[in-house]
Amino acid sequence: MKVRMSCVGLRNLLQGLSFSVKYYSKHNHLQTICLYSKIQQKKCHILDCSGSTCTHKTLPAGNILPWRLFSCKQEGTKIPSKRMQNTSIITSEPLYKNLLKSEQENWNDISARYKAMTERIKEKLEELHKYTFNSVSPRIRFGENVYFEENGYIFLSKADDVDEGNVDVLFSTKDLGFSDAFIQRIRISPDQRYMAISFKSENSEEATCVIMKLDHSPVVEEVIPSVFSFEWATNDVLYYTSQKNLKCQNVFMTTFTDQKHTKLVYTEQDARFFVDIYCTKDRRFLTINSNSKTTSEVWLIDCRHPFKLPALVQARTKGVIYHIEHRNDELYILTTYGELAEYKLMKAPVASSGMENWQLVYALEKKTKLVDLEMFTDHCVMFLKNAGHLYLNVISFVSHLVQSIELPTWACEFELESHPEHTTSTCYFQLTSPVHPPKCFAYSFKENNLIEQAVQEVPIITNCHTTRLLAKSKDETLVPITVFHSMNSKELHRKPLLVHVYGAYGIDLNMSFKEEKLMLIEEGWILAYCHVRGGGELGLSWHKDGCQYNKLKGLHDLKACIMLLHQLGFSQPKYTALAAASAGGVLAGALCNTDPELIRAMVLQAPFVDVLNTMMKTHLPLTIEEQEEWGNPLADEKCMKYIKSYCPYQNIKPQCYPSVFITAYENDQRIPLTGVLQYVQKLRKAALDHASRTSKKGNWIPSIILDIQANGNHCDSSWEDSMNEVARHLAFLNKELEEVCHLQHHTKSGK
C-alpha cells in the first residue's frame, strides 16, 4: 500500500541519516513516496523507508523485558541468500497463475512497438546522468577518520588526506557475498573497532546486518538476518530491531565482549505500531521509538549504563506524536501535543520527562510543513516548507533567538548531509527540484549567513520556468500546484502535460531531481505537481483533511488542479497524462472513473487500486496499521460504503477510459499483485465493452498495459532497472500522445 512512515517527513530525526551513496530508487522517477530515502549514488543508498507493523494481537502497549526472562541463540556467520520470494502471494491459485501468464504474454506481444522509442529515451537519460551525476560519495567523519564507499569497496582515510587519494581499503561488499545488494545503513562503534553494516537486495525488504571487526585485517564478527535499525550504545554493545513480513516489533541487545550474548529487550504488542532505534546526536541516549501513524511512545537507553532497563519518557497518548533529542541533561521533544495539532519543539528535564513537565520552545505557524530537524551543540535547525517555498529556522539555545532564512525560490526539496557532526559550527545541506540537480549550501552559525557553493550550471535549467498556483477545490479550499516548463515554449496549450499526484499518509510528493524530468522539459513538456489533501505539504492538518472519511477531498483537489491548468492554458485534456505511484494510484484511478475526459493517458507504478478488498484482508501485513489512514470496513459498514464510493477497482464501468500503463512487481509485499491483475482485467473489459457498444468509424480504444517485473520491489530497484522502467513509461506516453501532439522527433525515432 505504501512505504511506511509513522511520522511523516521526520525520519531523519528518528533514524539519523544513514550512510549513503548516489542511488536512484524507482519511485524517484515518476514520483516517490520514499520521502526519507536520500538520492545519493549508484551502488548503494539510504533506505530507511521502514516496513510496516501488522500483527493480529490485540494486547496492551509495548513492554520492557527483564533480562532474566529471555535468551537468544546466536545466528552464526553464514551469509543468508539475498534473493527472497514474496510469500504473500498464493501462486498455487489457478486464477492467479492464469492471469499472470496472460498479462506476461500480452506484454511480450506488444512491447516491440515501444522498443525503438525506449532505446532512444534510455540513451538520453544515460547522457544526462553523466552530465548531472555527482560522483563524490557521502562520507562519515568520525574524529580524524573518514569512512566512505565507492564501487562496492569500503574505504578509510584521514580527514586531511581523503581528497588526496591517500585511502585504505577496509573490505569489499563482494567479498562478503553482497555484490548485488544495497548498503542500507552503516554504524561505527565509538572506539571504531567495529562497523555494523546492513545489506538489502532489491527483491526483499528485509536486510542482513554484518558486524565487521576493524583490525589490521577486518573480519566478519557476526551476521544478523532480518534487521531494520541498529545503533551502538557503547564500544561493544549493539541494539537492533528485527523485521519480519514488514513488521518491526522487537528490540534486541547483543554484546561483543569475551562472553557474547544476545537478549530481547523490548517487544511491541500493538499491531498498529512500528519500532526503530535512534541514537541522539550527542550519543548520550539510544531511543526505542514505537510509532503508529497518530501516536508515539519513546523509551530511553542510557549509553553510560547500557545494561539497565530502558526508561519510559511518556506513555503513549492517543493522537500525540513525539520524538526525542538530548542536550545538557534536557530532552528536546518534537511533538504534536497541545493546541493546534502541528509540530512544536518542547523540552523537559531527563529526570522528569512526563508530559506535565514539557515546556514550549518553539511552535510552527499554521500550514507549515516541518521537513526535518537537526540538533547541534548550541543550535537547532528546522527545515520548513510554507506555500511551496523552503526556508530555515535557526534556533539559538544561547541567545534564545530564532532566525528565519529564506532559500532560493527555485528550490523544492531538501537533501540533508549524512551524519552531520554534532559539534560543528556549520550546517550543510543541498537544495534540489525535479529539474535542478542538487546544489550544496551551508549555514554558518558563527557568521550567521548562508553560503552557496559554486557549481557548473546545467544549461537546460536556465531555460526552465517555475510557477506556483492555487486551485480552488469543491469546498473552496485552495490547493497548491507547482508547474515547470521551458521559457522558450510557445503555445503552451498545445504542449503535452504530465501531472503528478500522491495524496496519502501525510507524505509530500517527491520533488527531488530526476534526469527524465529535465529531459521532458527540454522536449517541450509541461510538468505539474498537485499537492492535494492527504499529503503533507501544508502540515499535519493537510493530511488529516484527506484521510479516512475525507479521502474524496483529495479526488476533488486533483480534479480542480487539472481543470485550472487547462483553464490557464497549460495544455488541454487530449495532451494531458497523469503519473502516480503506490497509494497515489487511489486518486489517479478514481479520477479515471469519475472524470476520464480530463486526461489522455496514465502511468502507474505499483499502484494501490483495490482499497476495499485489501482493507478487508486482515492477514495481509499492512492492513491493521492502514486502518488509521483508510478506515476499517470490516467493523464499520459506513466506512465500507465510503471506501466503495471511491475505490478504483470497485467503480470501473463501461466508458471511454484513457490509455493506462502499469508497472507491478512480483516481489511486492505491499501491493498484492493479485489485486493489480484483477484491476487491469476489469478495466480492459470495461473499455472494450464501451467501444463495442458505441462502435463508430475511427472509434478510439485505449491501450491497457500491465508490465510485471520479476526483479525489484515496492521500494527500490537498481539504476539500470529503474532507468528501463522510466524509459518504458515515457515511450508509452509519447506513443499515446504523438498523434495529437505532432512531436516529430518522437515520431521519427519511434518508427
Side-chain angles (χ1 to χ4, degrees):
M1 278 176 265
K2 67 174 183 98
V3 177
R4 184 199 177 279
M5 29 179 10
S6 51
C7 41
V8 175
L10 300 169
R11 182 61 60 182
N12 297 337
L13 178 64
L14 274 174
Q15 298 289 355
L17 282 177
S18 302
F19 181 90
S20 161
V21 202
K22 197 86 174 175
Y23 170 79
Y24 288 78
S25 82
K26 64 170 178 273
H27 287 302
N28 284 332
H29 286 281
L30 284 177
Q31 53 115 131
T32 181
I33 60 172
C34 254
L35 177 69
Y36 34 90
S37 287
K38 298 302 175 186
I39 310 253
Q40 302 288 353
Q41 193 174 334
K42 183 175 178 180
K43 290 284 184 180
C44 317
H45 69 132
I46 307 169
L47 188 59
D48 273 5
C49 55
S50 55
S52 289
T53 73
C54 183
T55 63
H56 307 302
K57 302 176 183 177
T58 52
L59 300 175
N63 298 322
I64 292 297
L65 307 171
W67 300 136
R68 66 181 185 275
L69 297 180
F70 301 94
S71 63
C72 182
K73 295 181 180 179
Q74 299 297 320
E75 298 291 344
T77 58
K78 183 178 179 181
I79 303 287
S81 170
K82 300 187 290 297
R83 188 173 294 273
M84 298 179 63
Q85 297 300 318
N86 180 6
T87 57
S88 66
I89 295 175
I90 307 175
T91 55
S92 61
E93 292 184 358
L95 175 60
Y96 171 80
K97 285 186 173 181
N98 290 337
L99 288 177
L100 180 61
K101 183 179 179 182
S102 173
E103 291 301 331
Q104 289 171 333
E105 290 175 349
N106 182 63
W107 170 244
N108 289 335
D109 290 341
I110 65 175
S111 59
R113 75 175 69 162
Y114 303 105
K115 185 175 181 180
M117 181 77 69
T118 300
E119 291 302 316
R120 182 192 72 81
I121 293 171
K122 284 169 58 178
E123 290 176 5
K124 182 66 174 178
L125 290 176
E126 288 175 337
E127 178 185 343
L128 284 171
H129 183 65
K130 293 176 184 177
Y131 191 71
T132 60
F133 173 60
N134 180 6
S135 61
V136 178
S137 300
R139 299 162 180 174
I140 300 176
R141 180 159 183 166
F142 213 111
E144 295 182 353
N145 293 331
V146 172
Y147 298 84
F148 61 98
E149 187 272 357
E150 282 186 8
N151 298 320
Y153 288 88
I154 304 297
F155 294 94
L156 168 64
S157 174
K158 294 298 182 183
D160 296 335
D161 295 338
V162 65
D163 292 325
E164 303 299 325
N166 299 324
V167 299
D168 295 323
V169 177
L170 294 179
F171 56 87
S172 76
T173 57
K174 182 178 181 180
D175 292 341
L176 298 179
F178 289 93
S179 57
D180 296 326
F182 309 128
I183 294 177
Q184 184 189 43
R185 152 183 292 211
I186 288 180
R187 292 294 185 267
I188 301 166
S189 63
D191 62 359
Q192 302 183 61
R193 288 186 61 213
Y194 294 100
M195 175 185 288
I197 179 169
S198 59
F199 298 93
K200 196 186 81 63
S201 84
E202 64 183 61
N203 294 303
S204 170
E205 293 202 35
E206 295 180 5
T208 297
C209 182
V210 179
I211 291 85
M212 302 291 296
K213 190 172 185 179
L214 301 179
D215 287 335
H216 296 294
S217 179
V219 295
V220 176
E221 187 77 8
E222 187 172 350
V223 176
I224 310 173
S226 304
V227 171
F228 174 67
S229 60
F230 48 91
E231 296 285 355
W232 293 97
T234 65
N235 294 333
D236 48 22
V237 177
L238 182 76
Y239 279 76
Y240 66 89
T241 57
S242 61
Q243 182 175 356
K244 183 178 180 181
N245 198 25
L246 304 183
K247 307 171 194 175
C248 201
Q249 296 182 300
N250 294 318
V251 177
F252 295 88
M253 180 203 69
T254 187
T255 64
F256 295 90
T257 56
D258 293 337
Q259 294 183 339
K260 294 183 179 180
H261 65 278
T262 300
K263 292 181 180 289
L264 181 63
V265 179
Y266 175 93
T267 187
E268 174 59 61
Q269 296 178 340
D270 190 321
R272 299 167 299 165
F273 285 72
F274 185 94
V275 181
D276 58 33
I277 298 288
Y278 171 69
C279 182
T280 59
K281 293 291 293 295
D282 60 1
R283 298 200 59 83
R284 178 69 169 76
F285 292 101
L286 299 188
T287 63
I288 297 174
N289 310 291
S290 190
N291 301 282
S292 76
K293 293 181 183 61
T294 61
T295 305
S296 301
E297 184 173 87
V298 179
W299 297 75
L300 296 180
I301 300 164
D302 190 336
C303 291
R304 298 177 303 182
H305 307 287
F307 300 107
K308 285 187 175 181
L309 292 179
L312 178 64
V313 174
Q314 165 62 45
R316 62 191 66 179
T317 302
K318 186 177 180 180
V320 176
I321 298 171
Y322 74 97
H323 321 293
I324 297 296
E325 263 292 355
H326 175 263
R327 175 184 176 272
N328 294 350
D329 293 324
E330 289 185 311
L331 298 179
Y332 281 80
I333 306 152
L334 192 61
T335 180
T336 59
Y337 172 68
E339 293 298 322
L340 185 62
E342 296 289 349
Y343 279 108
K344 309 161 192 69
L345 185 63
M346 308 184 83
K347 67 178 182 178
V350 173
S352 51
S353 61
M355 192 180 290
E356 67 278 5
N357 298 311
W358 291 4
Q359 298 177 358
L360 181 65
V361 176
Y362 183 79
L364 295 182
E365 296 179 1
K366 290 183 66 174
K367 295 188 177 181
T368 297
K369 169 66 180 281
L370 176 59
V371 178
D372 212 333
L373 178 146
E374 286 285 6
M375 291 285 291
F376 297 90
T377 303
D378 294 322
H379 297 84
C380 168
V381 179
M382 290 184 168
F383 298 83
L384 305 169
K385 285 184 182 179
N386 185 286
H389 295 279
L390 306 187
Y391 64 103
L392 307 180
N393 271 1
V394 180
I395 302 173
S396 171
F397 296 129
V398 178
S399 67
H400 305 292
L401 297 177
V402 179
Q403 176 153 354
S404 186
I405 296 96
E406 293 186 5
L407 299 173
T409 56
W410 58 262
C412 298
E413 201 80 77
F414 294 103
E415 293 185 9
L416 306 187
E417 182 191 20
S418 298
H419 275 282
E421 293 185 84
H422 176 61
T423 57
T424 185
S425 61
T426 306
C427 176
Y428 296 95
F429 59 95
Q430 294 180 329
L431 297 177
T432 182
S433 86
V435 296
H436 288 80
K439 192 169 187 178
C440 296
F441 289 79
Y443 180 80
S444 171
F445 300 127
K446 290 182 178 179
E447 302 298 329
N448 197 29
N449 64 352
L450 187 68
I451 305 165
E452 179 178 350
Q453 178 177 315
V455 295
Q456 182 181 2
E457 292 286 354
V458 180
I460 304 169
I461 298 173
T462 60
N463 295 323
C464 184
H465 184 69
T466 303
T467 303
R468 290 180 172 89
L469 305 172
L470 291 172
K472 186 175 290 188
S473 192
K474 185 177 181 179
D475 60 1
E476 300 198 347
T477 297
L478 297 179
V479 183
I481 314 170
T482 308
V483 184
F484 303 92
H485 65 85
S486 171
M487 288 190 289
N488 297 329
S489 292
K490 298 178 180 179
E491 296 186 311
L492 288 175
H493 68 286
R494 295 183 57 81
K495 298 297 182 182
L497 167 66
L498 183 58
V499 177
H500 304 74
V501 69
Y502 185 65
Y505 306 110
I507 298 174
D508 298 3
L509 272 172
N510 184 289
M511 299 188 71
S512 296
F513 174 71
K514 308 164 201 54
E515 283 102 340
E516 70 272 17
K517 306 307 181 189
L518 196 56
M519 184 190 76
L520 290 175
I521 292 294
E522 185 182 29
E523 296 188 347
W525 284 68
I526 305 165
L527 306 178
Y529 292 77
C530 302
H531 309 292
V532 303
R533 280 173 286 185
E537 285 86 346
L538 295 182
L540 297 178
S541 60
W542 195 247
H543 168 229
K544 186 176 180 180
D545 209 21
C547 69
Q548 292 197 358
Y549 287 105
N550 292 321
K551 277 294 174 185
L552 280 171
K553 291 182 180 179
L555 176 59
H556 299 154
D557 293 352
L558 177 59
K559 179 180 178 180
C561 288
I562 296 176
M563 291 181 67
L564 177 65
L565 289 166
H566 293 160
Q567 290 167 10
L568 295 178
F570 292 106
S571 194
Q572 51 188 292
K574 63 181 179 179
Y575 307 154
T576 299
L578 180 60
S582 194
V586 175
L587 297 184
L591 184 82
C592 278
N593 289 328
T594 60
D595 299 275
E597 71 283 354
L598 288 179
I599 60 175
R600 171 79 177 200
M602 178 171 71
V603 287
L604 301 176
Q605 198 166 40
F608 187 29
V609 286
D610 191 3
V611 185
L612 184 60
N613 286 325
T614 302
M615 293 306 299
M616 294 180 71
K617 296 175 180 177
T618 55
H619 66 279
L620 295 175
L622 300 183
T623 298
I624 294 177
E625 181 193 0
E626 297 297 288
Q627 290 170 358
E628 290 185 319
E629 178 73 20
W630 309 98
N632 183 0
L634 288 174
D636 186 346
E637 186 176 354
K638 179 183 175 183
C639 176
M640 180 184 293
K641 290 180 179 178
Y642 187 77
I643 293 176
K644 192 173 182 179
S645 72
Y646 66 80
C647 173
Y649 177 76
Q650 297 293 329
N651 291 280
I652 294 172
K653 58 190 176 186
Q655 61 179 340
C656 185
Y657 277 98
S659 290
V660 180
F661 189 108
I662 298 176
T663 298
Y665 306 92
E666 286 193 62
N667 293 294
D668 194 334
Q669 293 176 276
R670 299 173 183 273
I671 303 291
L673 184 56
T674 303
V676 179
L677 287 165
Q678 293 173 339
Y679 172 80
V680 169
Q681 293 281 325
K682 187 175 181 180
L683 185 64
R684 190 179 290 133
K685 183 178 183 301
L688 291 174
D689 286 350
H690 171 75
S692 64
R693 295 177 188 177
T694 59
S695 57
K696 334 176 168 175
K697 187 176 181 181
N699 193 30
W700 182 70
I701 300 176
S703 301
I704 312 293
I705 300 171
L706 176 59
D707 176 21
I708 301 170
Q709 295 294 306
N711 294 324
N713 62 53
H714 196 87
C715 286
D716 40 54
S717 301
S718 67
W719 157 253
E720 290 78 11
D721 288 344
S722 181
M723 180 182 63
N724 287 333
E725 290 176 23
V726 170
R728 287 192 292 270
H729 286 183
L730 297 184
F732 168 79
L733 292 179
N734 280 321
K735 278 291 185 181
E736 290 300 317
L737 300 179
E738 66 179 355
E739 291 182 12
V740 292
C741 290
H742 303 291
L743 301 180
Q744 295 301 320
H745 56 288
H746 290 169
T747 305
K748 291 176 183 177
S749 301
K751 291 185 179 179

